[in-house]
Amino acid sequence: MSKNNLIGLAAAVTIIISAFLPWLTVESKHLVFTGVHTAGSSFGEPGKLNVVMAAIAGVLFLFKKTWARRLNVFITAFLIAWTFRNMIIFARCEMGICPHKEIGLYLSLAGAFMAFFCVVVRKKPNVPSQASQ
């Protein structure tokens, strides 16, 4: 297993862990939201999709096939888009109340970018061409 695969797998694990860390706090109402626990808000539970997509990406990092690499490009790109969407939704001010962004939100975004970077720079498997045989 190459370094890129190991780093990508570590990034996927980081995304999964960050879904359970605090994403934001609303100090005026004494609320702490994570990716999977957003009781008292209308955010939904976007961390669940982060966990599922990161788990799929982590499994795809274990395969050395071309199809797995191509599928992982799509999965990690979607993960970046979803995480960026979460950053926008969770970090906005509403009705004069501005929440404080916590470490989990930043870790999920950094992990998604790192996983995508590891997929993009991963070396192609050495497949002998039929023309050279």
Side-chain angles (χ1 to χ4, degrees):
M1 191 180 277
S2 70
K3 279 192 230 180
N4 285 340
N5 289 355
L6 289 175
I7 294 170
L9 193 57
V13 170
T14 302
I15 294 168
I16 292 170
I17 291 171
S18 71
F20 299 97
L21 294 175
W23 279 15
L24 85 118
T25 58
V26 180
E27 295 173 3
S28 63
K29 295 184 180 182
H30 305 291
L31 295 172
V32 176
F33 299 117
T34 66
V36 293
H37 177 68
T38 57
S41 72
S42 61
F43 292 139
E45 295 176 339
K48 287 183 179 180
L49 186 60
N50 274 16
V51 169
V52 170
M53 298 302 271
I56 293 170
V59 169
L60 290 174
F61 273 115
L62 299 175
F63 291 106
K64 294 182 180 180
K65 303 288 184 182
T66 303
W67 63 267
R69 182 173 184 254
R70 290 177 182 165
L71 182 60
N72 213 3
V73 168
F74 171 76
I75 296 291
T76 55
F78 181 81
L79 191 58
I80 287 175
W82 184 257
T83 307
F84 188 70
R85 171 226 176 244
N86 292 340
M87 179 74 105
I88 291 171
I89 288 176
F90 274 74
R92 70 176 185 234
C93 296
E94 289 184 356
M95 298 190 304
I97 299 173
C98 292
H100 178 68
K101 295 178 286 246
E102 297 289 340
I103 189 72
L105 198 57
Y106 293 116
L107 275 178
S108 65
L109 189 62
F113 275 111
M114 184 57 70
F116 182 73
F117 181 74
C118 288
V119 170
V120 172
V121 299
R122 192 164 98 174
K123 291 182 181 178
K124 294 180 184 177
N126 293 334
V127 178
S129 65
Q130 293 177 356
S132 65
Q133 291 180 355

